[in-house]
Amino acid sequence: VDLRHPKFNALRFVYMWMVLGIHYVSNCDFFMKADMDAYVNVPGMLATLRTFNASEKVYAGQVTLSHGPGYKKWDTFARGIGYVLSRGALRAAVPGLRFC
């Protein structure tokens, strides 16, 4: 496995979401993935998330259909500086994540 290949990075996040969805989904209302150099306005984000029902399927973030020049088109994959999944969205994703 080439650990430098961008598809490996994507698989790490699929595995991360699967572990969170199986073992920790009941611990939080929302789960966020953010790049380490991202600035997050935590009070603003919390104020926005409070307007949602965490039991419903909520996704907040950016979706892309490719990784960039030089890579063939991928299936839809979330990326960007950060994105948030509700508890309901993560629970709904677990069966698909187990298949991956």
Side-chain angles (χ1 to χ4, degrees), residues 27-98:
N27 295 2
C28 298
D29 289 337
F30 295 92
F31 298 83
M32 179 178 188
K33 181 269 177 199
D35 290 352
M36 64 182 180
D37 61 347
Y39 169 78
V40 178
N41 177 348
V42 175
M45 182 180 67
L46 290 174
T48 300
L49 292 177
R50 283 187 189 108
T51 66
F52 294 100
N53 179 346
S55 297
E56 294 179 5
K57 293 183 259 182
V58 177
Y59 169 88
Q62 178 182 2
V63 175
T64 186
L65 295 176
S66 66
H67 191 272
Y71 296 98
K72 58 187 175 179
K73 196 169 186 175
W74 293 5
D75 290 332
T76 303
F77 185 76
R79 65 123 178 133
I81 61 168
Y83 52 93
V84 176
L85 292 176
S86 67
R87 179 181 348 104
L90 189 52
R91 277 194 175 124
V94 167
L97 293 170
R98 284 180 188 260

Side-chain angles (χ1 to χ4, degrees), residues 5-47:
H5 194 280
K7 283 193 177 182
F8 178 76
N9 193 41
L11 292 175
R12 285 187 315 137
F13 290 114
V14 169
Y15 183 72
M16 175 196 74
W17 288 117
M18 184 180 69
V19 169
L20 287 173
I22 292 170
H23 300 288
Y24 302 101
V25 72
S26 298
N27 295 2
C28 298
D29 289 337
F30 295 92
F31 298 83
M32 179 178 188
K33 181 269 177 199
D35 290 352
M36 64 182 180
D37 61 347
Y39 169 78
V40 178
N41 177 348
V42 175
M45 182 180 67
L46 290 174

